[in-house]
Amino acid sequence: TLEIALGQIGGAAVRVVSSAAEAESVLRTDTQICALVTDVNLPDASGLDLVKWVRSLPSAARLPIVVISGESDPETPRASLGLGADAFFPKPFSPALVRQKVEELICRAA
């Protein structure tokens, strides 16, 4: 449902990847990426490590990042934002609200 909601952002194509390694590969090669939405729990790494890696890239300094998590640790939202995420959504989340936030962040970054 999130993929469908994000697909409603005008002029944007949604690209779904299944791991942090795949996300890093895409971010290294595709200059058209306008936002990143990640879960904290990825099969090969932490989404927080992915956020940290993205923020270390000079080319991604303004890339909007949204983190989603079902973790109950109250530190997870703070850690996400502290590492450079622009927004955090706990599960369950509203795909429409995530889309709205991503749109807002893309417009702000432009």
Side-chain angles (χ1 to χ4, degrees):
T1 58
L2 183 57
E3 182 179 356
I4 293 167
L6 293 174
Q8 295 174 359
I9 297 174
V14 177
R15 186 161 183 184
V16 178
V17 298
S18 59
S19 68
E22 195 176 350
E24 288 176 10
S25 176
V26 169
L27 289 164
R28 280 188 188 103
T29 59
D30 189 341
T31 60
Q32 300 299 310
I33 302 297
C34 62
L36 170 69
V37 178
T38 185
D39 198 303
V40 169
N41 295 310
L42 301 173
D44 61 341
S46 166
L48 299 182
D49 290 336
L50 179 60
V51 171
K52 187 176 179 181
W53 178 81
V54 170
R55 287 299 180 235
S56 74
L57 303 173
S59 61
R62 292 177 40 168
L63 182 72
I65 301 175
V66 174
V67 175
I68 296 169
S69 178
E71 289 195 13
S72 59
D73 184 347
E75 280 299 312
T76 302
R78 271 191 292 264
S80 300
L81 298 172
L83 289 171
D86 297 289
F88 179 88
F89 287 87
K91 292 181 182 177
F93 60 88
S94 162
L97 289 178
V98 174
R99 179 193 50 78
Q100 182 180 8
K101 177 53 90 174
V102 169
E103 276 185 303
E104 174 189 311
L105 292 168
I106 290 170
C107 288
R108 192 181 319 157

